[in-house]
Amino acid sequence: MSVVSETTLDAKVPSGPIEDKWEKHRFDMKLVAPNNKRKFDIVVVGTGLAGASAAATLAELGYNVTSLCIQDSPRRAHSIAAQGGINAAKNYPNDGDSVKRLFYDTVKGGDYRSREANVYRLAQVSGSIIDQCVAQGVPFAREYGGLLANRTFGGAQVSRTFYARGQTGQQLLLGAYGSLMRQVGHGKVKMFPRREMLDVVVVDGVARGVVARNLVTGEIESYAGHAVLLCTGGYGNAYYLSTNAKGCNVTAAWRAYKRGAYFANPCYTQIHPTCIPVSGDYQSKLTLMSESLRNDGRVWVPKDADDKRKPREIPEEDRDYYLERRYPAFGNMVPRDVASRAAKERCDAGYGVGSTGKSVYLDFKDAIARDGEDVIRQKYGNLFHMYQKITDEDPYHAPMRIYPAVHYTMGGLWVDYNLESTIPGMFVLGEANFSDHGANRLGASALMQGLADGYFVAPYTVGNHLASVKLPRVTTHHPAFQEAVVDARNHTEAMLKINGNRSVDSIHRELGHIMWDHCGMSRSDAGLREAIEKIRTLREEFWQNLKVLGAGETLNQNLEHAGRLADFLEFGELLAKDALEREESCGGHFREEYQTGENEARRDDENFCHVAAWQYNGEASEPTRHTEPLSFETVKLTQRSYK
C-alpha cells in the first residue's frame, strides 16, 4: 500500500523577509498592458466568492472572461451559507491584533501544516478585502461610533471577525455578484449558468479550456481560453451527510487531477463542532449553526452520565462546561478540530444528551441574563429562528443541541505561490486549493481566502502567466477539445448503460457511512485499510448495479448525481490512502495511534512536516505521492496548545 515519493515540489515562494515577499513578487511579475488585455480570454469555473470576485476583477482589468455557473444564478453559490463572519487584521477594537497575529493564529490553528508565505500574504491583504466590500455596500454590523463591529472566532484571543448578523457569506457574495453582473452588462463577462465542468483541456502542456455539460439540455459543450481558473469549492459531500449544499462536489477538481493536477492533502477534512445533530436516516444533508454562537453560548454536558433531567432542571453545580474546564485560556473559542474531538469524547464516554446521546448543549442562558434577550436576538436572531424551525425547540428558553459534522475541506489541488497548479495555466482559487489552512481552518477564514484569491492575488499571477508564455490562439475545434468531449460523452453513456437495481442515493449513503466511520473524526491503520477495501468493493457495485433513469441529452438530475458519485467513489479511496500514509495526528486528521496523554493530536514533524501531493498514474496504477517540505522560519514549530 505504501507509495514512493518521487520528487520534491517547488512552491516558487519568493526570497526575502516574509513581510516583503508579496510586494517584491508583485513588482517582479510581468504585466499585460491595458490595451493588450482585451486580446486574452480567461475561463473561470465557479461563481462563489472566489470565482465571482476573480471574474469581476479580471473583466474590470480588461480581459475577456467566460464564467461557468453550476447554479441558475451566482447568487445561489454555496458561499451564501457561510454565516458567522470574515477575518481581517484591522484591529478596530484596539485589542492587540495585527497582520502578524492573524498570520500566527492561522498557522497555529492549521497545526503547522500550511505554507507560511501564503498565510502571511492572506493576512496582509485581509484589510483590503474589508475596504473593497464596504465600497460595494456590504452591510457589515457597526459599533455605536460608526466603525465596523468585530467579534471573536475560534482559535483567536482578539476580536477580528467582521460580520453581517448571520448572513455574512450571502452579503459578501451579493457584493461580488453585483461587480460580476456589472461586467456582464458591459459585455466583458459571458455568463453560462447551469453548466457543470467535466474536464480540463490541455494543449501543448498548458490548460486552454474546459468541457462542461449543459445541465438543462444535456449537451456537452466546450469553452476555450488562454488560462483556466478553477473556483469550484470543496469535497465534503463525499461523506454524504455534511453541511454543504447538495450540489457541492469534487468532479471539477477530480477531472483536473486526472489530467495532471496534483491533489494535495485530501485527508485534511474539517469537522465543525456546532451542527444540528442527525435526526434520522431520511436526512440528505446537515445544517450548520454558526461558530459565532460560541461567543455567547456555553458548551456543556451533565456531570452525571445518567442525568436525564431537562437541561433547565440541571443546576450549575451538576453541569460540566468541559471546554472551559480543559482549555481555560480559550474556553468555548478553541479551534473547530479541538472542540469537535472534545464533543465526540464526551458523547463516546456516555455523557451525550438528546434521544440519540449524540449531542451536547450550547446554552445562552447566561448571555440572555447578562445582556437581555433583545441583544441576543439582534446578534443571532436569524440563526435562532432557523434552529427553531428545524428542531421545534426554542433556543431562547432551552439550550441548542449540537454535534460535529463534516464541513470544510482543507485539502485540494496543489498550487504554488502563484495559485498555479501542476498544469501550467490552470489556477485554483478558494476552497478548491490546499494552500492556506494547513490541517485545520480557523472560523471566518474561508470567506477571507476566497476573496483574497479572487480580488487581490489571481489578477496579478494570471497576468504574469499570460505575459510569460507564448499562447497561440486555440479554438474548440482543436483535437484536444474534441477528444475531451468524446471522453465526457463516453463516461455519461457508460453510466446510462448499466441499468442495474441500485439508486445513486443508496450507494452514496453507503459511501458516506464508510467515510464517516473510518475517515471521520478519528482514523486508525486498521480502519483506513478496511475503508479502502470497502470503497473499492462499492465502486465495483456502482459500475455493475447502478440504475440511472432517463437519457443523456436532456435535463437529468439523476445522471448529474451519478457522475458526481462516480468521482466521489474514486476520490474517497485517495482520501483514505492519504490518511493512511500520514502516520501522525494534526488538526482535523486525528490518527488514534498518534495522540498525547491528554488525547490531543501528536504531530511527527521529523517525518511529516510536508504537504503530500498525489499524482494520477491511470486507473490500473497506484498514484504517486510527492512532497513539498514545509519550513517555519517566522513561527516557531511547537506543540499546539489552547490551555
Side-chain angles (χ1 to χ4, degrees):
M1 182 85 54
S2 60
V3 186
V4 177
S5 175
E6 291 188 347
T7 61
T8 298
L9 293 168
D10 179 13
K12 301 177 183 175
V13 174
S15 60
I18 197 166
E19 297 87 352
D20 302 330
K21 288 182 186 294
W22 178 231
E23 189 64 31
K24 175 181 181 294
H25 192 57
R26 286 197 301 176
F27 182 79
D28 291 342
M29 282 189 288
K30 294 183 178 180
L31 300 174
V32 179
N35 58 332
N36 285 332
K37 288 187 172 75
R38 65 177 68 98
K39 299 177 182 179
F40 292 102
D41 303 318
I42 301 172
V43 180
V44 180
V45 185
T47 52
L49 281 179
S53 60
T57 305
L58 291 165
E60 188 77 42
L61 289 170
Y63 297 107
N64 306 306
V65 177
T66 297
S67 176
L68 302 187
C69 174
I70 196 171
Q71 297 90 4
D72 54 352
S73 166
R75 290 173 297 175
R76 295 177 64 85
H78 189 57
S79 297
I80 67 169
Q83 302 157 330
I86 176 172
N87 287 331
K90 285 285 195 181
N91 195 30
Y92 283 166
N94 198 28
D95 59 356
D97 200 15
S98 64
V99 167
K100 187 173 182 179
R101 189 175 295 279
L102 174 55
F103 158 67
Y104 170 78
D105 287 347
T106 305
V107 171
K108 177 183 176 182
D111 215 350
Y112 304 92
R113 289 295 178 261
S114 54
R115 187 189 293 151
E116 271 197 336
N118 285 66
V119 179
Y120 198 90
R121 176 176 63 188
L122 177 64
Q124 279 180 305
V125 305
S126 64
S128 298
I129 296 171
I130 303 303
D131 296 340
Q132 171 97 353
C133 294
V134 169
Q136 291 171 336
V138 173
F140 288 116
R142 293 182 181 268
E143 299 288 6
Y144 74 97
L147 285 178
L148 303 184
N150 289 117
R151 57 191 178 198
T152 310
F153 257 58
Q157 291 179 304
V158 297
S159 295
R160 66 163 65 101
T161 303
F162 295 77
Y163 61 96
R165 295 189 74 185
Q167 307 169 358
T168 313
Q170 181 178 13
Q171 297 302 329
L172 291 172
L173 184 63
L174 288 174
Y177 168 75
S179 298
L180 174 61
M181 296 311 292
R182 177 175 182 268
Q183 293 305 317
V184 171
H186 287 324
K188 295 301 293 180
V189 174
K190 293 182 179 178
M191 175 67 64
F192 294 91
R194 301 296 290 151
R195 264 70 172 187
E196 180 171 22
M197 177 185 146
L198 299 182
D199 209 346
V200 61
V201 180
V202 180
V203 178
D204 297 328
V206 181
R208 298 303 304 269
V210 301
V211 167
R213 183 172 186 268
N214 185 321
L215 298 180
V216 176
T217 67
E219 183 180 357
I220 306 296
E221 303 170 344
S222 299
Y223 302 88
H226 295 91
V228 174
L229 274 64
L230 226 60
C231 316
T232 52
Y235 48 81
N237 276 345
Y239 290 78
Y240 187 74
L241 286 179
S242 83
T243 66
N244 291 268
K246 289 300 290 180
C248 296
N249 62 82
V250 77
T251 289
W254 191 248
R255 305 293 173 87
Y257 163 74
K258 287 189 164 185
R259 290 292 182 184
Y262 292 3
F263 211 115
N265 298 337
C267 75
Y268 289 165
T269 54
Q270 180 166 84
I271 312 297
H272 199 294
T274 53
C275 179
I276 297 178
V278 176
S279 296
D281 292 339
Y282 59 87
Q283 283 185 252
S284 60
K285 76 175 301 295
L286 298 173
T287 303
L288 177 69
M289 288 286 99
S290 169
E291 181 170 307
S292 62
L293 294 170
R294 286 197 276 150
N295 273 287
D296 289 300
R298 301 178 70 191
V299 179
W300 64 277
V301 293
K303 288 183 177 179
D304 182 353
D306 297 322
D307 193 338
K308 303 304 179 185
R309 288 177 289 178
K310 293 180 180 179
R312 284 292 179 258
E313 296 174 356
I314 301 176
E316 286 292 310
E317 60 268 21
D318 292 338
R319 299 180 177 195
D320 178 16
Y321 294 95
Y322 58 87
L323 291 179
E324 299 171 32
R325 170 172 56 83
R326 295 180 183 179
Y327 309 101
F330 283 75
N332 295 297
M333 299 311 296
V334 292
R336 293 172 175 179
D337 62 316
V338 176
S340 293
R341 281 198 299 275
K344 180 180 186 296
E345 185 277 328
R346 289 289 80 191
C347 291
D348 289 350
Y351 294 90
V353 301
S355 59
T356 64
K358 292 292 186 181
S359 59
V360 299
Y361 289 129
L362 181 62
D363 199 337
F364 294 85
K365 177 177 67 104
D366 291 349
I368 291 173
R370 179 184 66 241
D371 299 329
E373 185 175 315
D374 288 343
V375 171
I376 299 302
R377 193 179 296 274
Q378 288 173 10
K379 285 184 178 181
Y380 312 114
N382 58 322
L383 298 172
F384 278 45
H385 177 73
M386 182 167 64
Y387 180 87
Q388 185 169 5
K389 280 288 187 182
I390 293 171
T391 66
D392 197 28
E393 299 171 8
D394 183 358
Y396 291 104
H397 299 101
M400 291 182 178
R401 290 179 299 105
I402 57 170
Y403 193 71
V406 172
H407 180 52
Y408 190 86
T409 53
M410 287 74 66
L413 294 181
W414 185 89
V415 294
D416 61 18
Y417 189 70
N418 291 328
L419 304 183
E420 191 170 17
S421 71
T422 48
I423 300 176
M426 192 184 83
F427 297 79
V428 188
L429 282 59
E431 191 180 359
N433 78 34
F434 87 100
S435 66
D436 290 39
H437 306 297
N440 173 64
R441 177 176 69 80
L442 292 184
S445 288
L447 303 181
M448 177 174 60
Q449 186 209 350
L451 292 179
D453 289 354
Y455 282 140
F456 298 111
V457 180
Y460 287 95
T461 60
V462 171
N464 178 67
H465 167 73
L466 298 174
S468 303
V469 181
K470 287 188 177 181
L471 296 167
R473 189 165 188 82
V474 169
T475 71
T476 55
H477 297 294
H478 190 281
F481 280 89
Q482 302 302 313
E483 178 187 340
V485 168
V486 170
D487 288 346
R489 189 172 289 123
N490 289 343
H491 186 71
T492 297
E493 291 175 355
M495 290 185 291
L496 289 167
K497 288 178 180 178
I498 299 171
N499 198 29
N501 297 311
R502 289 198 63 177
S503 69
V504 174
D505 199 59
S506 73
I507 298 176
H508 195 175
R509 190 184 294 273
E510 185 174 343
L511 173 65
H513 281 302
I514 296 169
M515 297 294 291
W516 180 251
D517 291 343
H518 301 299
C519 310
M521 274 194 282
S522 64
R523 295 108 184 248
S524 68
D525 183 282
L528 290 167
R529 293 180 187 277
E530 183 179 348
I532 291 169
E533 293 306 316
K534 284 186 173 181
I535 292 170
R536 287 175 175 170
T537 301
L538 187 61
R539 189 163 65 246
E540 292 178 5
E541 171 76 0
F542 174 94
W543 286 107
Q544 294 174 4
N545 201 23
L546 178 71
K547 179 72 171 182
V548 178
L549 302 174
E553 297 287 323
T554 184
L555 172 69
N556 190 341
Q557 291 187 319
N558 195 226
L559 179 61
E560 291 173 34
H561 300 161
R564 295 166 194 165
L565 177 56
D567 295 324
F568 278 140
L569 284 163
E570 295 179 0
F571 168 75
E573 182 178 340
L574 184 68
L575 189 158
K577 284 180 179 177
D578 187 48
L580 183 62
E581 291 291 327
R582 186 166 287 277
E583 296 178 340
E584 66 166 354
S585 291
C586 54
H589 169 64
F590 191 78
R591 285 283 297 267
E592 294 171 2
E593 303 93 334
Y594 308 101
Q595 54 184 301
T596 68
E598 297 179 318
N599 304 116
E600 303 289 352
R602 177 163 60 83
R603 298 195 318 266
D604 180 353
D605 295 332
E606 182 178 351
N607 296 304
F608 291 97
C609 191
H610 59 241
V611 176
W614 295 81
Q615 177 187 7
Y616 181 70
N617 294 319
E619 291 185 14
S621 302
E622 289 289 323
T624 302
R625 185 181 188 269
H626 302 276
T627 60
E628 176 201 333
L630 295 171
S631 60
F632 293 89
E633 301 170 1
T634 307
V635 178
K636 184 180 179 181
L637 192 60
T638 59
Q639 177 65 39
R640 195 173 55 151
S641 174
Y642 292 93
K643 295 185 181 297

